[in-house]
PDB file of all heavy atoms in Angstrom:
ATOM      1  N   ILE E   1     -54.976  14.107  54.889  1.00 97.00           N
ATOM      2  CA  ILE E   1     -54.967  13.994  53.423  1.00 97.00           C
ATOM      3  C   ILE E   1     -53.687  14.472  52.752  1.00 97.00           C
ATOM      4  O   ILE E   1     -53.468  14.185  51.577  1.00 97.00           O
ATOM      5  CB  ILE E   1     -56.155  14.762  52.803  1.00 97.00           C
ATOM      6  CG1 ILE E   1     -56.005  16.274  53.012  1.00 97.00           C
ATOM      7  CG2 ILE E   1     -57.479  14.256  53.363  1.00 97.00           C
ATOM      8  CD1 ILE E   1     -57.036  17.097  52.263  1.00 97.00           C
ATOM      9  N   LEU E   2     -52.803  15.200  53.454  1.00 96.00           N
ATOM     10  CA  LEU E   2     -51.665  15.825  52.767  1.00 96.00           C
ATOM     11  C   LEU E   2     -50.656  14.826  52.225  1.00 96.00           C
ATOM     12  O   LEU E   2     -49.895  15.156  51.313  1.00 96.00           O
ATOM     13  CB  LEU E   2     -50.968  16.817  53.697  1.00 96.00           C
ATOM     14  CG  LEU E   2     -51.732  18.116  54.008  1.00 96.00           C
ATOM     15  CD1 LEU E   2     -50.842  19.074  54.802  1.00 96.00           C
ATOM     16  CD2 LEU E   2     -52.232  18.785  52.736  1.00 96.00           C
ATOM     17  N   HIS E   3     -50.628  13.603  52.766  1.00 96.00           N
ATOM     18  CA  HIS E   3     -49.707  12.595  52.206  1.00 96.00           C
ATOM     19  C   HIS E   3     -50.357  11.822  51.055  1.00 96.00           C
ATOM     20  O   HIS E   3     -49.774  10.860  50.555  1.00 96.00           O
ATOM     21  CB  HIS E   3     -49.233  11.636  53.304  1.00 96.00           C
ATOM     22  CG  HIS E   3     -50.316  10.854  53.973  1.00 96.00           C
ATOM     23  ND1 HIS E   3     -51.203  11.425  54.862  1.00 96.00           N
ATOM     24  CD2 HIS E   3     -50.676   9.533  53.881  1.00 96.00           C
ATOM     25  CE1 HIS E   3     -52.042  10.492  55.308  1.00 96.00           C
ATOM     26  NE2 HIS E   3     -51.738   9.340  54.721  1.00 96.00           N
ATOM     27  N   ASP E   4     -51.555  12.252  50.624  1.00 96.00           N
ATOM     28  CA  ASP E   4     -52.243  11.694  49.459  1.00 96.00           C
ATOM     29  C   ASP E   4     -52.563  10.208  49.629  1.00 96.00           C
ATOM     30  O   ASP E   4     -52.187   9.375  48.793  1.00 96.00           O
ATOM     31  CB  ASP E   4     -51.401  11.902  48.202  1.00 96.00           C
ATOM     32  CG  ASP E   4     -52.200  11.722  46.917  1.00 96.00           C
ATOM     33  OD1 ASP E   4     -53.414  12.006  46.933  1.00 96.00           O
ATOM     34  OD2 ASP E   4     -51.618  11.293  45.902  1.00 96.00           O
ATOM     35  N   PRO E   5     -53.329   9.854  50.672  1.00 97.00           N
ATOM     36  CA  PRO E   5     -53.658   8.443  50.905  1.00 97.00           C
ATOM     37  C   PRO E   5     -54.722   7.948  49.933  1.00 97.00           C
ATOM     38  O   PRO E   5     -55.456   8.728  49.320  1.00 97.00           O
ATOM     39  CB  PRO E   5     -54.197   8.455  52.344  1.00 97.00           C
ATOM     40  CG  PRO E   5     -54.805   9.819  52.486  1.00 97.00           C
ATOM     41  CD  PRO E   5     -53.913  10.744  51.696  1.00 97.00           C
ATOM     42  N   ASP E   6     -54.819   6.633  49.818  1.00 96.00           N
ATOM     43  CA  ASP E   6     -55.858   6.022  48.983  1.00 96.00           C
ATOM     44  C   ASP E   6     -57.198   5.959  49.715  1.00 96.00           C
ATOM     45  O   ASP E   6     -58.254   6.034  49.089  1.00 96.00           O
ATOM     46  CB  ASP E   6     -55.456   4.598  48.576  1.00 96.00           C
ATOM     47  CG  ASP E   6     -54.231   4.585  47.692  1.00 96.00           C
ATOM     48  OD1 ASP E   6     -54.093   5.504  46.861  1.00 96.00           O
ATOM     49  OD2 ASP E   6     -53.410   3.656  47.831  1.00 96.00           O
ATOM     50  N   ILE E   7     -57.152   5.762  51.035  1.00 97.00           N
ATOM     51  CA  ILE E   7     -58.359   5.568  51.841  1.00 97.00           C
ATOM     52  C   ILE E   7     -58.382   6.619  52.947  1.00 97.00           C
ATOM     53  O   ILE E   7     -57.394   6.784  53.679  1.00 97.00           O
ATOM     54  CB  ILE E   7     -58.390   4.178  52.500  1.00 97.00           C
ATOM     55  CG1 ILE E   7     -58.005   3.083  51.515  1.00 97.00           C
ATOM     56  CG2 ILE E   7     -59.756   3.905  53.133  1.00 97.00           C
ATOM     57  CD1 ILE E   7     -57.724   1.754  52.180  1.00 97.00           C
ATOM     58  N   LEU E   8     -59.497   7.306  53.082  1.00 97.00           N
ATOM     59  CA  LEU E   8     -59.690   8.247  54.181  1.00 97.00           C
ATOM     60  C   LEU E   8     -60.663   7.628  55.174  1.00 97.00           C
ATOM     61  O   LEU E   8     -61.780   7.239  54.799  1.00 97.00           O
ATOM     62  CB  LEU E   8     -60.242   9.575  53.679  1.00 97.00           C
ATOM     63  CG  LEU E   8     -59.341  10.378  52.747  1.00 97.00           C
ATOM     64  CD1 LEU E   8     -60.067  11.650  52.296  1.00 97.00           C
ATOM     65  CD2 LEU E   8     -58.045  10.737  53.448  1.00 97.00           C
ATOM     66  N   VAL E   9     -60.251   7.541  56.427  1.00 97.00           N
ATOM     67  CA  VAL E   9     -61.088   7.009  57.502  1.00 97.00           C
ATOM     68  C   VAL E   9     -61.336   8.162  58.466  1.00 97.00           C
ATOM     69  O   VAL E   9     -60.416   8.623  59.158  1.00 97.00           O
ATOM     70  CB  VAL E   9     -60.402   5.822  58.211  1.00 97.00           C
ATOM     71  CG1 VAL E   9     -61.289   5.287  59.328  1.00 97.00           C
ATOM     72  CG2 VAL E   9     -60.072   4.724  57.203  1.00 97.00           C
ATOM     73  N   LEU E  10     -62.576   8.634  58.498  1.00 96.00           N
ATOM     74  CA  LEU E  10     -62.908   9.879  59.191  1.00 96.00           C
ATOM     75  C   LEU E  10     -63.965   9.593  60.249  1.00 96.00           C
ATOM     76  O   LEU E  10     -65.099   9.209  59.931  1.00 96.00           O
ATOM     77  CB  LEU E  10     -63.406  10.918  58.192  1.00 96.00           C
ATOM     78  CG  LEU E  10     -62.553  11.082  56.921  1.00 96.00           C
ATOM     79  CD1 LEU E  10     -63.242  12.021  55.930  1.00 96.00           C
ATOM     80  CD2 LEU E  10     -61.166  11.584  57.261  1.00 96.00           C
ATOM     81  N   ASP E  11     -63.597   9.792  61.505  1.00 94.00           N
ATOM     82  CA  ASP E  11     -64.475   9.467  62.632  1.00 94.00           C
ATOM     83  C   ASP E  11     -65.204  10.726  63.075  1.00 94.00           C
ATOM     84  O   ASP E  11     -64.581  11.640  63.629  1.00 94.00           O
ATOM     85  CB  ASP E  11     -63.631   8.875  63.771  1.00 94.00           C
ATOM     86  CG  ASP E  11     -64.477   8.123  64.788  1.00 94.00           C
ATOM     87  OD1 ASP E  11     -65.720   8.171  64.687  1.00 94.00           O
ATOM     88  OD2 ASP E  11     -63.891   7.491  65.687  1.00 94.00           O
ATOM     89  N   GLU E  12     -66.508  10.787  62.839  1.00 92.00           N
ATOM     90  CA  GLU E  12     -67.349  11.948  63.193  1.00 92.00           C
ATOM     91  C   GLU E  12     -66.722  13.255  62.667  1.00 92.00           C
ATOM     92  O   GLU E  12     -66.441  14.177  63.430  1.00 92.00           O
ATOM     93  CB  GLU E  12     -67.571  12.024  64.705  1.00 92.00           C
ATOM     94  CG  GLU E  12     -68.300  10.835  65.298  1.00 92.00           C
ATOM     95  CD  GLU E  12     -69.795  10.819  64.962  1.00 92.00           C
ATOM     96  OE1 GLU E  12     -70.290  11.805  64.393  1.00 92.00           O
ATOM     97  OE2 GLU E  12     -70.444   9.806  65.268  1.00 92.00           O
ATOM     98  N   PRO E  13     -66.499  13.356  61.370  1.00 93.00           N
ATOM     99  CA  PRO E  13     -65.773  14.518  60.830  1.00 93.00           C
ATOM    100  C   PRO E  13     -66.525  15.842  60.947  1.00 93.00           C
ATOM    101  O   PRO E  13     -65.907  16.897  60.834  1.00 93.00           O
ATOM    102  CB  PRO E  13     -65.564  14.144  59.357  1.00 93.00           C
ATOM    103  CG  PRO E  13     -66.673  13.198  59.047  1.00 93.00           C
ATOM    104  CD  PRO E  13     -66.870  12.403  60.305  1.00 93.00           C
ATOM    105  N   PHE E  14     -67.840  15.800  61.167  1.00 90.00           N
ATOM    106  CA  PHE E  14     -68.604  17.045  61.260  1.00 90.00           C
ATOM    107  C   PHE E  14     -68.768  17.531  62.698  1.00 90.00           C
ATOM    108  O   PHE E  14     -69.445  18.526  62.943  1.00 90.00           O
ATOM    109  CB  PHE E  14     -69.975  16.865  60.610  1.00 90.00           C
ATOM    110  CG  PHE E  14     -69.907  16.458  59.171  1.00 90.00           C
ATOM    111  CD1 PHE E  14     -70.273  15.189  58.773  1.00 90.00           C
ATOM    112  CD2 PHE E  14     -69.423  17.337  58.210  1.00 90.00           C
ATOM    113  CE1 PHE E  14     -70.186  14.802  57.451  1.00 90.00           C
ATOM    114  CE2 PHE E  14     -69.326  16.960  56.876  1.00 90.00           C
ATOM    115  CZ  PHE E  14     -69.709  15.694  56.498  1.00 90.00           C
ATOM    116  N   SER E  15     -68.121  16.842  63.631  1.00 84.00           N
ATOM    117  CA  SER E  15     -68.218  17.218  65.031  1.00 84.00           C
ATOM    118  C   SER E  15     -67.645  18.614  65.254  1.00 84.00           C
ATOM    119  O   SER E  15     -66.514  18.912  64.852  1.00 84.00           O
ATOM    120  CB  SER E  15     -67.455  16.208  65.896  1.00 84.00           C
ATOM    121  OG  SER E  15     -67.449  16.593  67.244  1.00 84.00           O
ATOM    122  N   GLY E  16     -68.413  19.484  65.881  1.00 79.00           N
ATOM    123  CA  GLY E  16     -67.945  20.825  66.212  1.00 79.00           C
ATOM    124  C   GLY E  16     -68.014  21.825  65.078  1.00 79.00           C
ATOM    125  O   GLY E  16     -67.576  22.962  65.242  1.00 79.00           O
ATOM    126  N   LEU E  17     -68.544  21.434  63.920  1.00 88.00           N
ATOM    127  CA  LEU E  17     -68.595  22.340  62.776  1.00 88.00           C
ATOM    128  C   LEU E  17     -69.939  23.057  62.712  1.00 88.00           C
ATOM    129  O   LEU E  17     -70.994  22.442  62.864  1.00 88.00           O
ATOM    130  CB  LEU E  17     -68.372  21.572  61.473  1.00 88.00           C
ATOM    131  CG  LEU E  17     -67.013  20.907  61.268  1.00 88.00           C
ATOM    132  CD1 LEU E  17     -66.964  20.222  59.912  1.00 88.00           C
ATOM    133  CD2 LEU E  17     -65.885  21.911  61.387  1.00 88.00           C
ATOM    134  N   ASP E  18     -69.881  24.365  62.450  1.00 91.00           N
ATOM    135  CA  ASP E  18     -71.116  25.104  62.207  1.00 91.00           C
ATOM    136  C   ASP E  18     -71.583  24.795  60.785  1.00 91.00           C
ATOM    137  O   ASP E  18     -70.877  24.152  60.004  1.00 91.00           O
ATOM    138  CB  ASP E  18     -70.903  26.609  62.426  1.00 91.00           C
ATOM    139  CG  ASP E  18     -69.853  27.210  61.498  1.00 91.00           C
ATOM    140  OD1 ASP E  18     -69.775  26.808  60.316  1.00 91.00           O
ATOM    141  OD2 ASP E  18     -69.085  28.085  61.946  1.00 91.00           O
ATOM    142  N   PRO E  19     -72.806  25.209  60.405  1.00 91.00           N
ATOM    143  CA  PRO E  19     -73.324  24.845  59.077  1.00 91.00           C
ATOM    144  C   PRO E  19     -72.439  25.269  57.914  1.00 91.00           C
ATOM    145  O   PRO E  19     -72.317  24.537  56.928  1.00 91.00           O
ATOM    146  CB  PRO E  19     -74.690  25.553  59.039  1.00 91.00           C
ATOM    147  CG  PRO E  19     -75.109  25.629  60.472  1.00 91.00           C
ATOM    148  CD  PRO E  19     -73.836  25.860  61.246  1.00 91.00           C
ATOM    149  N   VAL E  20     -71.795  26.446  58.003  1.00 92.00           N
ATOM    150  CA  VAL E  20     -70.943  26.912  56.910  1.00 92.00           C
ATOM    151  C   VAL E  20     -69.720  26.008  56.773  1.00 92.00           C
ATOM    152  O   VAL E  20     -69.375  25.550  55.666  1.00 92.00           O
ATOM    153  CB  VAL E  20     -70.517  28.370  57.125  1.00 92.00           C
ATOM    154  CG1 VAL E  20     -69.478  28.791  56.076  1.00 92.00           C
ATOM    155  CG2 VAL E  20     -71.737  29.296  57.063  1.00 92.00           C
ATOM    156  N   ASN E  21     -69.059  25.721  57.882  1.00 92.00           N
ATOM    157  CA  ASN E  21     -67.881  24.860  57.842  1.00 92.00           C
ATOM    158  C   ASN E  21     -68.242  23.427  57.467  1.00 92.00           C
ATOM    159  O   ASN E  21     -67.469  22.730  56.794  1.00 92.00           O
ATOM    160  CB  ASN E  21     -67.159  24.886  59.185  1.00 92.00           C
ATOM    161  CG  ASN E  21     -66.364  26.161  59.390  1.00 92.00           C
ATOM    162  OD1 ASN E  21     -65.799  26.709  58.444  1.00 92.00           O
ATOM    163  ND2 ASN E  21     -66.316  26.649  60.620  1.00 92.00           N
ATOM    164  N   ALA E  22     -69.429  22.971  57.892  1.00 92.00           N
ATOM    165  CA  ALA E  22     -69.865  21.624  57.526  1.00 92.00           C
ATOM    166  C   ALA E  22     -70.043  21.501  56.012  1.00 92.00           C
ATOM    167  O   ALA E  22     -69.667  20.491  55.407  1.00 92.00           O
ATOM    168  CB  ALA E  22     -71.163  21.273  58.248  1.00 92.00           C
ATOM    169  N   GLU E  23     -70.588  22.547  55.387  1.00 94.00           N
ATOM    170  CA  GLU E  23     -70.753  22.525  53.936  1.00 94.00           C
ATOM    171  C   GLU E  23     -69.400  22.510  53.232  1.00 94.00           C
ATOM    172  O   GLU E  23     -69.226  21.840  52.215  1.00 94.00           O
ATOM    173  CB  GLU E  23     -71.572  23.734  53.482  1.00 94.00           C
ATOM    174  CG  GLU E  23     -73.062  23.602  53.747  1.00 94.00           C
ATOM    175  CD  GLU E  23     -73.675  22.382  53.082  1.00 94.00           C
ATOM    176  OE1 GLU E  23     -73.464  22.197  51.868  1.00 94.00           O
ATOM    177  OE2 GLU E  23     -74.344  21.604  53.796  1.00 94.00           O
ATOM    178  N   GLN E  24     -68.432  23.253  53.762  1.00 93.00           N
ATOM    179  CA  GLN E  24     -67.088  23.227  53.168  1.00 93.00           C
ATOM    180  C   GLN E  24     -66.481  21.833  53.277  1.00 93.00           C
ATOM    181  O   GLN E  24     -65.852  21.337  52.335  1.00 93.00           O
ATOM    182  CB  GLN E  24     -66.192  24.246  53.864  1.00 93.00           C
ATOM    183  CG  GLN E  24     -66.470  25.689  53.475  1.00 93.00           C
ATOM    184  CD  GLN E  24     -65.446  26.633  54.069  1.00 93.00           C
ATOM    185  OE1 GLN E  24     -64.938  26.421  55.171  1.00 93.00           O
ATOM    186  NE2 GLN E  24     -65.123  27.685  53.346  1.00 93.00           N
ATOM    187  N   MET E  25     -66.687  21.187  54.425  1.00 93.00           N
ATOM    188  CA  MET E  25     -66.138  19.850  54.614  1.00 93.00           C
ATOM    189  C   MET E  25     -66.805  18.855  53.664  1.00 93.00           C
ATOM    190  O   MET E  25     -66.147  17.990  53.074  1.00 93.00           O
ATOM    191  CB  MET E  25     -66.322  19.400  56.064  1.00 93.00           C
ATOM    192  CG  MET E  25     -65.624  18.102  56.404  1.00 93.00           C
ATOM    193  SD  MET E  25     -63.818  18.258  56.444  1.00 93.00           S
ATOM    194  CE  MET E  25     -63.602  19.011  58.058  1.00 93.00           C
ATOM    195  N   LYS E  26     -68.105  18.978  53.471  1.00 94.00           N
ATOM    196  CA  LYS E  26     -68.805  18.104  52.536  1.00 94.00           C
ATOM    197  C   LYS E  26     -68.266  18.289  51.115  1.00 94.00           C
ATOM    198  O   LYS E  26     -68.074  17.318  50.376  1.00 94.00           O
ATOM    199  CB  LYS E  26     -70.307  18.376  52.580  1.00 94.00           C
ATOM    200  CG  LYS E  26     -70.979  17.945  53.874  1.00 94.00           C
ATOM    201  CD  LYS E  26     -72.438  18.377  53.912  1.00 94.00           C
ATOM    202  CE  LYS E  26     -73.076  18.034  55.240  1.00 94.00           C
ATOM    203  NZ  LYS E  26     -74.487  18.490  55.337  1.00 94.00           N
ATOM    204  N   GLY E  27     -68.025  19.547  50.764  1.00 94.00           N
ATOM    205  CA  GLY E  27     -67.451  19.809  49.444  1.00 94.00           C
ATOM    206  C   GLY E  27     -66.084  19.174  49.292  1.00 94.00           C
ATOM    207  O   GLY E  27     -65.734  18.657  48.216  1.00 94.00           O
ATOM    208  N   ALA E  28     -65.283  19.191  50.365  1.00 95.00           N
ATOM    209  CA  ALA E  28     -63.964  18.563  50.335  1.00 95.00           C
ATOM    210  C   ALA E  28     -64.081  17.051  50.152  1.00 95.00           C
ATOM    211  O   ALA E  28     -63.295  16.439  49.413  1.00 95.00           O
ATOM    212  CB  ALA E  28     -63.202  18.890  51.619  1.00 95.00           C
ATOM    213  N   PHE E  29     -65.065  16.438  50.803  1.00 94.00           N
ATOM    214  CA  PHE E  29     -65.281  15.000  50.633  1.00 94.00           C
ATOM    215  C   PHE E  29     -65.571  14.670  49.176  1.00 94.00           C
ATOM    216  O   PHE E  29     -64.999  13.722  48.611  1.00 94.00           O
ATOM    217  CB  PHE E  29     -66.484  14.548  51.476  1.00 94.00           C
ATOM    218  CG  PHE E  29     -66.216  14.404  52.944  1.00 94.00           C
ATOM    219  CD1 PHE E  29     -65.097  14.943  53.531  1.00 94.00           C
ATOM    220  CD2 PHE E  29     -67.106  13.730  53.744  1.00 94.00           C
ATOM    221  CE1 PHE E  29     -64.865  14.813  54.877  1.00 94.00           C
ATOM    222  CE2 PHE E  29     -66.893  13.584  55.096  1.00 94.00           C
ATOM    223  CZ  PHE E  29     -65.766  14.128  55.666  1.00 94.00           C
ATOM    224  N   LEU E  30     -66.460  15.430  48.579  1.00 95.00           N
ATOM    225  CA  LEU E  30     -66.836  15.169  47.192  1.00 95.00           C
ATOM    226  C   LEU E  30     -65.652  15.352  46.253  1.00 95.00           C
ATOM    227  O   LEU E  30     -65.473  14.596  45.288  1.00 95.00           O
ATOM    228  CB  LEU E  30     -67.990  16.081  46.785  1.00 95.00           C
ATOM    229  CG  LEU E  30     -69.308  15.844  47.539  1.00 95.00           C
ATOM    230  CD1 LEU E  30     -70.329  16.920  47.186  1.00 95.00           C
ATOM    231  CD2 LEU E  30     -69.876  14.459  47.237  1.00 95.00           C
ATOM    232  N   GLU E  31     -64.825  16.353  46.544  1.00 94.00           N
ATOM    233  CA  GLU E  31     -63.638  16.585  45.718  1.00 94.00           C
ATOM    234  C   GLU E  31     -62.662  15.423  45.833  1.00 94.00           C
ATOM    235  O   GLU E  31     -62.092  14.966  44.835  1.00 94.00           O
ATOM    236  CB  GLU E  31     -62.973  17.900  46.125  1.00 94.00           C
ATOM    237  CG  GLU E  31     -61.829  18.296  45.216  1.00 94.00           C
ATOM    238  CD  GLU E  31     -61.376  19.731  45.445  1.00 94.00           C
ATOM    239  OE1 GLU E  31     -62.226  20.584  45.780  1.00 94.00           O
ATOM    240  OE2 GLU E  31     -60.171  19.982  45.284  1.00 94.00           O
ATOM    241  N   MET E  32     -62.452  14.930  47.055  1.00 95.00           N
ATOM    242  CA  MET E  32     -61.552  13.792  47.242  1.00 95.00           C
ATOM    243  C   MET E  32     -62.106  12.543  46.545  1.00 95.00           C
ATOM    244  O   MET E  32     -61.355  11.777  45.943  1.00 95.00           O
ATOM    245  CB  MET E  32     -61.345  13.527  48.731  1.00 95.00           C
ATOM    246  CG  MET E  32     -60.602  14.643  49.468  1.00 95.00           C
ATOM    247  SD  MET E  32     -58.929  14.931  48.828  1.00 95.00           S
ATOM    248  CE  MET E  32     -58.078  13.472  49.412  1.00 95.00           C
TER     249      MET E  32
END
């Protein structure tokens, strides 16, 4: 995301995340 793309293509983005980190990632999705 750091180059500010228009489209994010995320393959199994929650893989390896514990519940706390998964919630942070979900929040990041909503923000984007």
Side-chain angles (χ1 to χ4, degrees):
I1 67 172
L2 289 187
H3 61 287
D4 197 30
D6 295 323
I7 315 167
L8 296 178
V9 180
L10 313 173
D11 198 353
E12 298 287 352
F14 302 110
S15 176
L17 296 181
D18 60 38
V20 173
N21 284 325
E23 284 302 309
Q24 285 187 326
M25 188 70 79
K26 291 174 184 178
F29 283 15
L30 295 173
E31 187 168 327
M32 294 299 288

